[in-house]
Amino acid sequence: MAPRATRLRLRDFRNYERAEVALGENLTVVTGPNGAGKTNLLEGLYFALVGRSCRTSVEREVVRVGAPAARLEVDTEGEDHRSHRLEVGLAPGEPKRLTLDGSVLDRPPACVRPLVSVFMPDRLTLIKGPPTTRRAHLDQLAATLWPARGPVRFAYAQALAQRNAALARVRSGRSSTAALDPWDVELARLGIELMEARAEAAALVAPGFAVRAGELGLPERAELAYAPRSLSGEPAGLREELFERRPGDLERGFTGHGPHRDELVLRHGGRLLRSHASQGQQRVGLLALLFAERDLLLERESAPLMLLDDVTSELDSARRARLAEAVRAGGQVVVSATELEHVPGGIERDVTHVEVQDGTLRDRAPTGLASAA
Ligand SMILES: Nc1ncnc2c1ncn2[C@@H]1O[C@H](COP(=O)(O)OP(=O)(O)O)[C@@H](O)[C@H]1O
Ligand SMILES: [Mg+2]
C-alpha cells in the first residue's frame, strides 16, 4: 500500500493561525469562498509532506503576516503501516527545520510519505513553459517508476557541468582539446542512460495521456512524445555527435547538444499544446498528464496523493463527471472548489468535506475534522 497522509496541522501558515484537519482515505473536498484559504491549505499539505512550497520559492512568504514563524505537521501512514509525523518549522532568517518522528533530517524519505502530484494554476508552466520544466518532470516520473534510475539525471548534470568547465579551459588556452575526450565519453554514457529512461517513461504514459485527455475534454487527438536531440541509441554514437560539434561548442562556450536539450512534446490535434491551445485546453492537458501518471503509479501500488486546486471551475458537468470517475480510480485525493456541487461525488458518504472561511476550518462530516482551536 502506498503511504498516505492522515492529518494536517498548520500554525501561522499563510492565513491560518491554527488549524487542524483530518484527511479522508480517498476523497477530501475543501470548499469555501474566494480568498478563504483553500489553495493555502493544499499548499500547506504539500509543504508539510515535501518540505517546501509548491507555489513559491520565497519561503518566508508563507509565514502568516505578523507571526514570527510557521509550523506545519502532517501525520502519515507509511509503507510499514505505522504512523509517522513530519514537521516543518520555518522562521525567516533561520534555517528551515524538518523532522521525522522528532529526528531532524534533510528531506523526508519516500517510504513514510506519499508522493504528491499537484494541479494548481501555477503548474501550467509545465505545459506552457520552457522545455526544461517538462524534461525535469519526465525525469521525475522515470525516477518514481524506477528509483534505481533516479541518480542518473544528477550524474549527467554533473558531467555536463564538468565538460562545460573543460570547454572554458580550452577556450582560455589552459588546456588542449584532448582534455575534452574523457568528458565526451562520460557524457555520452550517462546521456544514453538518461535518454533510455525518458523514452521508456514517455512510452508508458503516452497511451493514458491520450485517453485521459479525450475523457476530460480535449476535442482533438492528444499526443505525448519524447523528442530527444540525439538520434543515437548508444554511447559511441552520442560521443561521435559530441565530437563533431566541438568547434561550435568551443565557440559558444557550452555544450549545445545532448539530452539537456531534449523536449517532451505535447500535442493537441497535431499542434503544440504549449503554443497553440487555449488556457482551458492547457489546463485539461495538465490534468490528463497528471492522471495518466497516476494511473501508472496506481498499477504499481504507489499512487501519489493528488492535490487538485480549483480544478472544476472550467469544466462542464459532463467533464466534471469524468473527472469524478478518474478520482474514484483509487488513491488519496484532495480537491478544492468554491461549491460542493462542483465536485461530483462530493456529497457522497465516503467523502470528507472541509469548509474554509477566512483561514478557519469547519467540520462538515462526522469524521471530517477537528476544527481550528
Ligand atoms: N503569509 C500570509 N499571511 C497572511 N495571509 C496570507 C498570507 N499569504 C496569503 N494570505 C492570504 O490568504 C488569502 C488567500 O488564500 P487562498 O488560499 O489563496 O484562497 P482561496 O480559497 O481562494 O484559494 C488571501 O486573503 C491572502 O491575503
Ligand atoms: Mg485558490
Side-chain angles (χ1 to χ4, degrees):
M1 192 201 73
R4 62 189 184 86
T6 54
R7 192 172 273 274
L8 173 72
R9 289 176 211 86
L10 304 175
R11 182 80 193 265
D12 292 325
F13 180 85
R14 295 284 188 187
N15 65 335
Y16 292 93
E17 191 177 337
R18 246 173 202 272
E20 174 162 356
V21 61
L23 298 160
E25 226 170 279
N26 303 303
L27 178 60
T28 302
V29 181
V30 180
T31 60
N34 285 325
K38 301 182 295 298
T39 304
N40 293 345
L41 185 65
L42 268 55
E43 182 193 23
L45 184 53
Y46 183 96
F47 207 130
L49 287 165
V50 181
R52 60 182 151 79
S53 171
C54 52
R55 280 165 102 185
T56 178
S57 54
V58 187
E59 288 191 327
R60 62 177 180 278
E61 248 177 49
V62 306
V63 179
R64 191 171 65 86
V65 172
R71 185 184 170 86
L72 305 98
E73 278 179 25
V74 63
D75 294 341
T76 65
E77 196 180 305
E79 256 166 24
D80 55 3
H81 296 273
R82 289 228 174 102
S83 63
H84 297 279
R85 178 168 298 174
L86 290 161
E87 294 181 39
V88 183
L90 192 74
E94 284 175 35
K96 182 165 57 179
R97 192 182 140 91
L98 306 187
T99 64
L100 166 63
D101 300 327
S103 314
V104 176
L105 76 173
D106 284 342
R107 73 168 117 152
C111 57
V112 300
R113 66 159 182 96
L115 299 162
V116 194
S117 175
V118 186
F119 178 93
M120 275 188 192
D122 320 60
R123 290 258 17 232
L124 268 188
T125 49
L126 181 57
I127 303 293
K128 290 202 282 201
T132 174
T133 324
R134 284 179 293 283
R135 278 197 299 272
H137 187 80
L138 182 58
D139 287 341
Q140 181 59 56
L141 175 65
T144 304
L145 290 168
W146 309 291
R149 285 168 133 174
V152 70
R153 61 197 154 136
F154 304 117
Y156 179 85
Q158 210 163 29
L160 179 65
Q162 272 157 330
R163 187 178 189 270
N164 287 339
L167 283 170
R169 283 195 299 275
V170 177
R171 271 157 65 90
S172 65
R174 282 175 290 152
S175 27
S176 69
T177 51
L180 294 170
D181 293 349
W183 296 120
D184 285 7
V185 172
E186 185 70 351
L187 205 59
R189 180 179 70 81
L190 293 165
I192 292 293
E193 250 185 75
L194 184 60
M195 287 161 58
E196 282 170 355
R198 287 176 178 177
E200 284 172 46
L204 273 179
V205 80
F209 173 71
V211 172
R212 289 294 188 196
E215 284 177 1
L216 293 170
L218 286 186
E220 294 176 70
R221 201 160 76 94
E223 293 165 90
L224 175 152
Y226 172 49
R229 268 297 167 104
S230 168
L231 298 175
S232 170
E234 11 119 40
L238 179 53
R239 203 183 80 197
E240 188 65 26
E241 292 170 356
L242 290 169
F243 184 79
E244 281 166 13
R245 286 167 177 78
R246 267 188 197 178
D249 286 353
L250 282 166
E251 209 167 296
R252 273 189 305 266
F254 61 86
T255 306
H257 181 71
H260 59 288
R261 307 294 301 276
D262 288 350
E263 173 66 296
L264 175 69
V265 180
L266 303 171
R267 285 198 193 83
H268 172 231
R271 295 173 304 278
L272 289 179
L273 203 56
R274 177 184 178 186
S275 50
H276 287 75
S278 69
Q279 171 111 339
Q281 290 173 335
Q282 290 173 337
R283 281 171 59 98
V284 174
L286 175 59
L287 257 188
L289 179 60
L290 299 181
F291 271 104
E293 290 170 357
R294 174 168 171 271
D295 293 340
L296 282 183
L297 296 172
L298 271 172
E299 284 169 21
R300 288 163 173 74
E301 308 215 332
S302 53
L305 163 63
M306 281 195 113
L307 304 180
L308 304 176
D309 188 33
D310 203 15
V311 70
T312 52
S313 55
E314 281 170 39
L315 300 176
D316 62 27
S317 61
R319 307 302 183 204
R320 282 180 189 159
R322 291 298 191 122
L323 178 74
E325 271 171 44
V327 163
R328 269 191 230 102
Q332 202 177 14
V333 185
V334 182
V335 183
S336 78
T338 45
E339 311 290 333
L340 191 58
E341 293 68 42
H342 288 178
V343 186
I347 37 186
E348 281 174 18
R349 235 184 260 170
D350 65 338
V351 171
T352 302
H353 179 202
V354 181
E355 216 172 68
V356 192
Q357 192 79 252
D358 278 338
T360 303
L361 301 175
R362 250 190 316 148
D363 193 356
R364 302 305 300 179
T367 53
L369 169 122
S371 106

